[in-house]
Amino acid sequence: MLIRYKKSFEKIAMGLLSFMPNEKDLKRLQQTMKQYETEENWQLFLWKEEEDIIGLVGVTTSDSSMEIQHISVNPSHRHQGIGKTMIKALDELYPGKILTATEDTESFLNKCEIER
């Protein structure tokens, strides 16, 4: 289930974000979290299964599109389709928006087979 990020999930979100190649540095990771917390067009969603948060997807939004900035799944839950499920849930949550990707997330988004 896709849920919106709340400050109480900060440590979990930072842990998941740290799996992204460009988010290894603590200062960079903290800046990214601050963007999601303070900038209106930056939104972070967490993926929850039962009681565990095992993934996240972060986007920037505009009137007509959402750009996937970050997508990460806990390594022990990878290769189970969770990333694709998160993208499809995001697409269903915002049906009028076109999903786009950054250079870092483009290859993954292309695998998700979302109509763009």
Side-chain angles (χ1 to χ4, degrees):
M1 169 175 57
L2 204 60
I3 60 173
R4 284 188 184 271
Y5 167 79
K6 289 186 263 185
K7 185 79 170 164
S8 60
F9 298 130
E10 183 177 38
K11 286 184 178 159
I12 295 167
M14 285 180 74
L16 288 164
L17 264 179
S18 71
F19 293 122
M20 292 289 298
N22 294 338
E23 300 295 335
K24 300 277 185 213
D25 177 65
L26 182 60
K27 284 200 184 306
R28 169 86 172 128
L29 183 59
Q30 289 170 328
Q31 287 174 336
T32 300
M33 287 303 298
K34 187 170 178 82
Q35 280 183 297
Y36 282 117
E37 291 171 0
T38 61
E39 294 186 28
E40 196 174 307
N41 67 323
W42 282 68
Q43 295 182 21
L44 191 60
F45 297 89
L46 304 170
W47 187 258
K48 188 174 183 178
E49 286 192 355
E50 296 176 19
E51 295 303 311
D52 297 326
I53 294 172
I54 58 173
L56 68 70
V57 59
V59 298
T60 53
T61 60
S62 69
D63 290 338
S64 61
S65 67
M66 295 183 87
E67 185 174 51
I68 309 295
Q69 298 292 325
H70 299 96
I71 185 155
S72 180
V73 175
N74 183 312
S76 62
H77 293 275
R78 290 186 182 161
H79 307 292
Q80 299 174 18
I82 292 166
K84 286 182 183 180
T85 303
M86 287 192 299
I87 295 297
K88 288 181 180 169
L90 194 60
D91 192 45
E92 290 170 8
L93 191 61
Y94 295 95
K97 296 209 186 254
I98 298 166
L99 287 176
T100 62
T102 64
E103 189 176 306
D104 293 333
T105 60
E106 186 171 22
S107 65
F108 182 80
L109 188 59
N110 289 339
K111 292 179 192 173
C112 291
E113 301 165 3
I114 298 290
E115 302 262 333
R116 294 195 260 164

